[in-house]
Amino acid sequence: MNFPYQVYNILMPKTRTQYVCQQCGRTAARPMGRCPQCGAWNSMVEELIAPPATIRHSRSTAVRSTPQRLSEVSGDVEERLPLPINEFARVLGGGIVPGSIVLIGGDPGIGKSTLLLQVALEMSHQSPVLYVSGEESERQIKMRAVRLLRDANTGALPLPDNLFLVTETGLDAILEHITQVKPQLLIVDSIQTTTLPELESSAGSVSQVRECASRLRELAKSSGIAVFLIGHVTKEGTIAGPRVLEHIVDTVLYLEGDRFQSYRLLRSVKNRFGATSEVGVFEMGEHGMAEVANPSEAFLAERMVNAPGSAIAVTMEGTRPLLVEIQGLTSPTQFGNARRTPNGVDFNRLLLTTAVLTRRLGLRLGEQDIFVNVVGGLTVSEPAADLAIAAAIASSMRNTPLRADAVLIGEVGLSGELRMVGQMNARLKEAASLGFKTAIIPQRMRKNEPWQADIQVIEVRSLRQALDHALVEKV
Ligand code: TYD
Ligand code: MG
């Protein structure tokens, strides 16, 4: 780590700002609700006008950089700080990369501050960590830390010495604290409360959020500090959400989950240092977020075997197969228009499977309200869950359960045919490891290789054949 480095290089000198339309590039001295050139609404964003001195300066720095041979570039490719929270490390691609900048987005109250305080507590055993909060006081954060560290058996655990807390929103002050603490990990909670005084616009506006994040990225790259930014996902409006930051940072993680359920999924949507769409599964409990090492088992824990309308799908979340229960319920419509209510599945996929069940299998779903629910607050967007969705609806409609020991995997086509989905071996293995005996899947074109899982595989061509195998009483 190159301490001491010049923090004030990162803070530009006081400058003027202008408002630039993000659609057409028209500039104005004052903010305007509507761009006079292209007519776009709320598109004017405050930007810094770089003074001539800065331009000269940047030219001289351009000369200072020198091309290096690939073989001579320092730094081991695999150099990462180990993170003892496995589910988190897996989403990052195996530990924290020094000098990387990671954005963690999510709805308010979902558990971002809690999870990152846990990361800070763990990492402070290795090296100094600075936790900057613009939302909570040091006292509040301490109370939370004590709660997280409290162990059921031993009472409160000792507090770490190397975790530094500060309540601060000004970026210049934050950068000054960094020169004092010299952390290896900086956590900024949240990027929406961080402000740069040069910009007139208020905290949380697009220009503030973007400018602060780029300064923190420069800090990360020049010093080797790993930076975690917390960002609230908000509806479109004056408060800028993590979307405007996605291209600035190296890694974007989203913490998802139903607020009324305890499971939380940490999902990577962009990662320069690992696979994307990897997930880590946590459960929010008394002492913060607990890792869920075997999520499939957890998601199936409350399942009622032999209940009509319950089907088991196997979805892939990144490289990890997950078994989820999909519930369907049909109920005669009361007021004319039949309703379709998906919870955790895509509305259009529900409409599609319903249409196929109606047209190809002759189920009279036109007069039925249909509810589909993914148990555990999960969201399943993969077409591989189509078959399970269709089976859950058909099972409820026929009032006959599906085979309790079977999983259903496959995409449903418009003609009622089943289509193969990717990574079938991984899905079958996961189902077998949880004790399922049968998998009903689409027929393969080439049958040269046997399936690599200890499970009976029934290959079928169509949704109708799949239901013939899956429903306990034949219809
Ligand atoms: P928080 O991390 O503050 O959310 P965010 O930073 O994403 O806005 O989480 C707040 C919620 O988590 C709150 O409803 C209380 C709950 N919680 C627990 O259930 N257990 C705990 O140990 C902690 C610290 C919080
Ligand atoms: Mg918070």
Side-chain angles (χ1 to χ4, degrees), residues 187-246:
I187 295 175
V188 179
D189 183 3
S190 65
I191 189 66
Q192 275 109 351
T193 54
T194 311
T195 52
L196 201 63
E198 282 115 275
L199 292 173
E200 282 171 21
S201 45
S202 58
S205 64
V206 174
S207 42
Q208 284 284 7
V209 163
R210 214 172 46 188
E211 201 57 38
C212 290
S214 348
R215 299 284 171 96
L216 287 166
R217 176 180 61 180
E218 278 175 57
L219 166 84
K221 301 299 165 201
S222 62
S223 65
I225 299 177
V227 178
F228 282 13
L229 305 177
I230 292 181
H232 299 296
V233 176
T234 43
K235 301 221 175 63
E236 274 187 349
T238 49
I239 308 289
R243 293 259 150 206
V244 297
L245 299 178
E246 281 182 358

Side-chain angles (χ1 to χ4, degrees), residues 159-174:
L159 295 171
D161 267 342
N162 258 339
L163 175 55
F164 295 84
L165 308 176
V166 63
T167 303
E168 180 57 64
T169 56
L171 189 63
D172 38 3
I174 295 174

